[in-house]
Amino acid sequence: MLKPGATIGILGGGQLGRMLAMAAAQLGYRCHIFAPEADSVAADVAAQFTNAAWHDRDALATFAQSCDAITYEFENVPVEPLAALPAGLLAPGTNALEVAQDRIREKRFVEQLGGRPAPFAQVDYDADLADAVEQVGTPGILKTRRDGYDGKGQWRIDSAHDALGIRIPATGCVYEGRVAFECEFSVILVRRRDGAVRFWDSPHNTHEGGILATSTLPAPPIIGAQVEAARSLASRVAEKLGYVGVLTCEFFATSNGPVFNEMAPRVHNSGHWTIEGAVTSQFENHIRAVAGLPLGDTSSTAERVVMENLIGAHALRLDRHLADPRAHLHLYGKAEARDGRKMGHITRVG
Ligand code: AMP
């Protein structure tokens, strides 16, 4: 159990790291951010900041010496340099990164645990694509195997004709059938080192252009009916990985039950509502798990909670957001409101 005043290292410098650092501060911990970009919104609220490349081994070793525990807020941290970290310092482990960084490996991993992803085929080279489309059928989505997020690195394929001329990147792709879903939801759990697991209520998530737009509780009945099966899969994933911290699995609710979309080995945008809408937020419980503290209660504090992302220039309508007495406004401190950039979010409870 980390003592008050201990330092938690966070790999990654975005808004998830920022909200983790704020939760850590509330519990009496200091945070040290390690990130390759100089303008880190997590570093703005942390005690220390190392601005270095992921592969800078010296910088990583010095960073590790200053930390009593290390976690990550970004699933694409390269795994290889992390192998040099002292054993037991990093939670969750690198095995969760290895699975989540590769869409094919992730789908196979989940299948082995009895989960059901969308039908898919591996596409390593340009010449593989036509066969993959033939095998899986249309409509489908071609996704880069690695480094995709928020709908980036994806091509929608409505007919075999759409697949003509697409150049497959060197790291390969996966072609998956488009799932005819009723709606989307996520399972967010927290697991302690001793295996204790808790779940938050599962929100109904809507996306715009591949980016999360809203998370709403209560979720419609179709989600309620599928949450148990989805939780069971998510807890098998966590157990198999010996996972410590918050883990998110995203699902499509279909007329045939839940279809696994993807996992994130970290706190998740669809869990931001837990800051005001749950007894203990995802950020606090992640820090508790990493620090070896008892987990907090994950119950919702109201029946109705709505989280709305502020994306791009939307975030700039501050007068309107501040005039709404029920809106809990969170701004991440990013200077530039580029299109598609997550600038903040609003949560309304009750
Ligand atoms: P991803 O980055 O893979 O989570 O994709 C972002 C969003 O695109 C998802 O939340 C869905 O709304 C949509 N999407 C991704 N894959 C599929 C699929 N196989 N079938 C239908 N919609 C999908």
Side-chain angles (χ1 to χ4, degrees), residues 80-109:
E80 194 222 322
L82 302 183
L85 293 178
L89 204 59
L90 184 71
T94 51
N95 57 351
L97 288 174
E98 280 166 343
V99 171
Q101 286 178 0
D102 179 345
R103 290 188 188 273
I104 301 245
R105 191 160 170 183
E106 178 181 84
K107 289 178 197 300
R108 292 202 177 120
F109 181 77

Side-chain angles (χ1 to χ4, degrees), residues 21-345:
M22 287 157 73
Q26 190 186 331
L27 291 171
Y29 298 124
R30 306 168 76 252
C31 282
H32 186 166
I33 307 296
F34 187 107
E37 60 285 341
D39 58 339
S40 160
V41 297
D44 288 345
V45 303
Q48 276 176 281
F49 179 33
T50 297
N51 177 210
W54 296 123
H55 289 277
D56 184 337
R57 283 166 193 279
D58 292 342
L60 195 62
T62 309
F63 164 77
Q65 275 166 13
S66 79
C67 298
D68 300 292
I70 299 179
T71 189
Y72 44 84
E73 60 99 71
F74 176 59
E75 70 271 35
N76 289 319
V77 177
V79 170
E80 194 222 322
L82 302 183
L85 293 178
L89 204 59
L90 184 71
T94 51
N95 57 351
L97 288 174
E98 280 166 343
V99 171
Q101 286 178 0
D102 179 345
R103 290 188 188 273
I104 301 245
R105 191 160 170 183
E106 178 181 84
K107 289 178 197 300
R108 292 202 177 120
F109 181 77
V110 158
E111 278 181 333
Q112 279 164 10
L113 295 172
R116 184 163 58 108
F120 68 97
Q122 187 170 333
V123 181
D124 294 333
Y125 305 104
D126 295 353
D128 298 340
L129 183 54
D131 286 347
V133 172
E134 164 104 29
Q135 183 194 321
V136 173
T138 54
I141 306 186
L142 180 71
K143 299 180 180 178
T144 52
R145 201 165 155 172
R146 306 181 74 91
D147 293 330
Y149 67 96
D150 282 348
K152 293 190 175 67
Q154 301 192 1
W155 297 262
R156 294 172 82 80
I157 297 195
D158 292 320
S159 70
H161 183 262
D162 293 342
L164 298 176
I166 294 180
R167 300 301 305 269
I168 302 300
T171 46
C173 284
V174 57
Y175 176 71
E176 55 184 67
R178 207 170 311 153
V179 177
F181 58 79
E182 307 274 331
C183 47
E184 294 183 77
F185 68 101
S186 45
V187 169
I188 308 181
L189 65 76
V190 60
R191 186 175 186 275
R192 256 174 64 98
R193 217 170 286 272
D194 64 5
V197 170
R198 291 189 185 180
F199 299 93
W200 282 269
D201 283 335
S202 278
H204 171 207
N205 300 327
T206 63
H207 295 79
E208 282 168 23
I211 304 175
L212 185 72
T214 61
S215 293
T216 303
L217 284 175
I222 182 169
I223 291 177
Q226 302 192 6
V227 161
E228 261 330 297
R231 283 185 174 181
S232 160
L233 175 63
S235 56
R236 274 174 277 150
V237 168
E239 194 174 321
K240 185 82 181 167
L241 294 169
Y243 196 89
V244 176
V246 168
L247 170 74
T248 307
C249 290
E250 292 182 80
F251 292 90
F252 303 117
T254 77
S255 52
N256 288 322
V259 172
F260 170 87
N261 177 23
E262 63 179 1
M263 64 178 257
R266 54 169 169 78
V267 288
H268 195 259
N269 195 169
S270 64
H272 289 2
W273 66 271
T274 62
I275 297 176
E276 290 90 7
V279 178
T280 313
S281 76
Q282 61 167 350
F283 301 101
E284 177 174 343
N285 259 346
H286 183 78
I287 295 295
R288 284 180 179 234
V290 167
L293 304 180
L295 298 177
D297 184 355
T298 49
S299 306
S300 300
T301 53
E303 212 158 278
R304 187 164 170 78
V305 185
V306 181
M307 190 287 308
E308 181 194 339
N309 263 343
L310 300 175
I311 294 175
H314 282 293
L316 304 177
R317 292 184 206 145
L318 279 190
D319 288 356
R320 207 188 67 182
H321 305 322
L322 290 167
D324 179 348
R326 285 194 314 138
H328 294 277
L329 177 63
H330 297 252
L331 294 175
Y332 306 146
K334 297 181 185 176
E336 216 189 323
R338 285 195 299 271
D339 272 1
R341 198 168 196 212
K342 290 175 179 169
M343 302 298 291
H345 72 268

